[in-house]
Amino acid sequence: MAKNTLSFVCQNCGAAYNRWQGKCESCGEWNTLAEEDTSGSVPVSIRSRRKGRTFALESLAGKSPDAPRLSSGLSELDRVTGGGFVRGSVLLVGGDPGIGKSTLLTQATSLLARAGHRVVYISGEEAVAQVRLRAERLGLSDAPVQLAAETSVEDIVSTLSEGAVPRLIVIDSIQTMWTDTVESAPGTVTQVRASAQALIRFAKKTGAAIILVGHVTKDGQIAGPRVVEHMVDAVMSFEGEGSQQFRILRAVKNRFGPTDEIGVFEMTGLGLREVTNPSELFLSERDLGTPGTAVFAGIEGTRPVLVELQALVAPTSLGTPRRAVVGWDPSRLSMVLAVLEAHCGVKLSGHDVYLNVAGGLRINEPAADLAAAAALVSSLVNAQLPTDAVYFGEISLSGVVRPVAQTPARLKEAAKLGFQRAVLPESARGETGGDAGLSLNAVNSLTTLVAEIAARGSRRGESNAPAEKNATPARFRRGEG
Ligand code: TYD
Ligand code: MG
């Protein structure tokens, strides 16, 4: 006789307790505990009675050639996975509802099916007709993807075990799956974990690659599936600002590839378009002629990406001034502000400070320090920075501008996009990789840069502002290209 193993499981992090309590001690969330049977098994009598039934799959595809990696046909997706899906691997794709996960995977599966691979798309959220409608909208109806709307893991495994092993299986989403080996309700942590386990077992046994889709809670964690993160081979998150068209696919964990690469997409009326040159996209909406913006020449993985940093420094009406930052590390901002105060005589304690990375990108590099500082000072003294300049460099606590990696790649990208000057660390001047075609303004300490910007501020009102505007690369002027 099976022991009664009812316990209270946190629906946010998966921690289990013997008694109900209001707050989860593990993740600190309130009211997330729900009663579940965590025994992980059911009496043999029930198990043997239940044999997975088979269900019909839509039109069949061809056979599968053997290759360790399966390229998806979307180079931005392949970049993030590290060169394609690995045989027998399981990948979790997380993201907000409506961000475009189903669209991305419909496109990827269709391309693979067209290339002759057996690809199966199991939708637990939408009916077959809805998935078809999306495919029609994307112009992919002719792709021989095998489609089903199913939620029972046993049925799915039984069906997929027949015939040739699929190269790729998409499960959209893992929260809708349920297995009858556990008694909890679908969507609970126990169910999600058990379903994922069964699917992972199937992937390892057969060599099929599986993509699990997972929805994310408002605080950015993959709800329920968070407990799956350690079981899968790779975790990607699909991010983007609701109001903007850019979507960024980021590897959070990857057993078979890098975790610092990003894939950039644009959501259009005809699905996701790959953006092979993200800089052009991030700079396309530049607000020229306003103080407080600086272009940062960054590196994402192996690829240079130019992006605009926007700062607003305004007198505060609060006792404690506000510091708000989107797309960058708040503690990095605090550090830059402290260095500006301590070493450059810039008084910010009476000001609210806002910093935003344009286009919904999230920057992790310390190399953005110099661009952030330039944008902040530019906003404070109300002086526009040269619109044809890029900035990069790390700032140390002593106010020294320190060199960063991959200087030549950053300069090359800036030159390619029509920029004329670069403000960079003095010590990086030697490794500019020959003639990048930019005029270089090497700064040794942050004080130098602050003085230069302040001088522009005091000169403001003289003739230089209109001249700056004309120096702008034509493609970034508002309303063009
Ligand atoms: P979807 O892939 O269903 O999101 P998810 O699976 O992550 O919940 O995408 C939903 C959004 O994408 C929806 O708001 C409409 C939009 N969309 C487009 O803008 N263009 C398109 O071609 C498609 C298919 C969707
Ligand atoms: Mg979806």
Side-chain angles (χ1 to χ4, degrees):
M1 200 63 206
K3 214 163 59 168
N4 184 10
T5 47
L6 282 183
S7 49
F8 294 88
V9 180
C10 172
Q11 301 300 304
N12 186 47
C13 70
Y17 301 90
N18 291 331
R19 282 175 298 119
W20 188 86
Q21 55 198 58
K23 182 179 179 182
C24 172
E25 278 154 19
S26 167
C27 67
E29 287 292 312
W30 287 89
N31 279 329
T32 53
L33 263 54
E35 194 174 355
E36 286 185 22
D37 182 352
T38 50
S39 63
S41 67
V42 284
V44 180
S45 55
I46 298 181
R47 226 185 300 153
S48 54
R49 223 189 302 138
R50 174 85 173 106
K51 264 260 182 75
R53 71 179 168 85
T54 56
F55 50 82
L57 288 164
E58 319 293 321
S59 54
L60 260 172
K63 49 178 176 295
S64 35
D66 265 19
R69 279 199 190 259
L70 181 64
S71 165
S72 68
L74 289 167
S75 59
E76 291 294 298
L77 179 56
D78 288 346
R79 178 199 301 281
V80 182
T81 53
F85 306 115
V86 175
R87 286 183 76 90
S89 73
V90 180
L91 179 86
L92 176 67
V93 177
D96 290 325
I99 201 77
K101 301 179 293 297
S102 303
T103 308
L104 176 70
L105 296 174
T106 305
Q107 289 182 232
T109 44
S110 299
L111 291 175
L112 282 170
R114 273 186 186 162
H117 300 285
R118 183 180 179 207
V119 180
V120 180
Y121 192 107
I122 309 280
S123 178
E125 290 184 347
E126 293 161 303
V128 168
Q130 285 173 298
V131 181
R132 278 197 183 129
L133 210 64
R134 181 185 290 117
E136 199 174 306
R137 176 170 175 183
L138 299 170
L140 297 168
S141 302
D142 63 315
V145 174
Q146 300 183 321
L147 188 65
E150 280 294 328
T151 53
S152 159
V153 172
E154 277 73 31
D155 294 351
I156 292 170
V157 168
S158 299
T159 307
L160 296 182
S161 303
E162 294 191 343
V165 176
R167 283 308 302 271
L168 180 71
I169 302 158
V170 173
I171 304 288
D172 187 2
S173 65
I174 185 66
Q175 275 111 329
T176 56
M177 294 297 135
W178 64 279
T179 159
D180 42 20
T181 56
V182 295
E183 273 171 358
S184 313
T188 55
V189 170
T190 314
Q191 272 292 358
V192 166
R193 193 161 26 200
S195 303
Q197 248 154 13
L199 291 164
I200 290 168
R201 239 187 344 261
F202 178 78
K204 302 292 169 204
K205 200 175 80 192
T206 60
I210 296 188
I211 300 180
L212 305 175
V213 175
H215 292 298
V216 162
T217 51
K218 54 187 177 316
D219 57 357
Q221 290 171 337
I222 301 181
R226 221 190 121 203
V227 297
V228 176
E229 274 185 25
H230 68 278
M231 297 155 58
V232 299
D233 298 301
V235 180
M236 328 246 118
S237 89
F238 204 34
E239 308 164 354
E241 297 285 312
S243 58
Q244 273 162 342
Q245 303 309 306
F246 321 132
R247 300 284 184 269
I248 292 163
L249 186 68
R250 192 184 287 278
V252 180
K253 155 183 172 178
N254 196 349
R255 285 186 185 147
F256 309 113
T259 51
D260 54 357
E261 290 285 3
I262 60 167
V264 185
F265 298 88
E266 184 183 4
M267 181 61 96
T268 70
L270 294 171
L272 290 159
R273 185 179 72 81
E274 294 186 81
V275 177
T276 40
N277 190 346
S279 307
E280 225 158 310
L281 187 69
F282 292 131
L283 296 179
S284 62
E285 298 269 302
R286 273 184 77 192
D287 209 351
L288 296 168
T290 17
T293 62
V295 175
F296 166 52
I299 298 279
E300 287 287 343
T302 54
R303 182 162 56 163
V305 173
L306 265 49
V307 64
E308 187 182 64
L309 301 192
Q310 305 163 341
L312 178 65
V313 179
T316 185
S317 54
L318 305 168
T320 314
R322 287 199 58 157
R323 269 88 179 94
V325 46
V326 177
W328 202 40
D329 184 2
S331 53
R332 234 31 248 171
L333 173 68
S334 306
M335 196 206 83
V336 170
L337 294 177
V339 174
L340 282 171
E341 291 232 9
H343 297 290
C344 311
V346 178
K347 291 273 162 280
L348 291 157
S349 48
H351 289 81
D352 288 335
V353 173
Y354 303 90
L355 189 77
N356 178 38
V357 179
L361 191 69
R362 210 175 61 221
I363 300 178
N364 300 316
E365 271 191 294
D369 291 353
L370 197 64
L376 291 166
V377 177
S378 154
S379 173
L380 179 73
V381 303
N382 199 22
Q384 186 199 331
L385 297 172
T387 49
D388 60 348
V390 295
Y391 295 77
F392 61 90
E394 184 178 343
I395 296 171
S396 75
L397 285 178
S398 57
V400 172
V401 180
R402 303 188 15 188
V404 294
Q406 307 200 40
T407 300
R410 297 175 202 265
L411 293 176
K412 214 170 128 206
E413 178 78 357
K416 196 168 100 192
L417 287 159
F419 285 85
Q420 315 267 319
R421 336 173 199 189
V423 180
L424 73 175
E426 174 77 60
S427 37
R429 201 205 271 277
E431 38 162 319
T432 51
D435 184 21
L438 297 175
S439 86
L440 304 178
N441 178 7
V443 288
N444 196 11
S445 82
L446 187 55
T447 323
T448 324
L449 181 69
V450 171
E452 279 175 23
I453 300 172
R456 294 177 72 85
S458 54
R459 266 189 285 121
R460 238 168 45 90
E462 295 165 32
S463 62
N464 76 343
E468 281 313 334
K469 228 170 184 154
N470 295 337
T472 306
R475 64 211 304 183
F476 298 137
R477 266 186 233 133
R478 196 145 245 206
E480 285 178 32

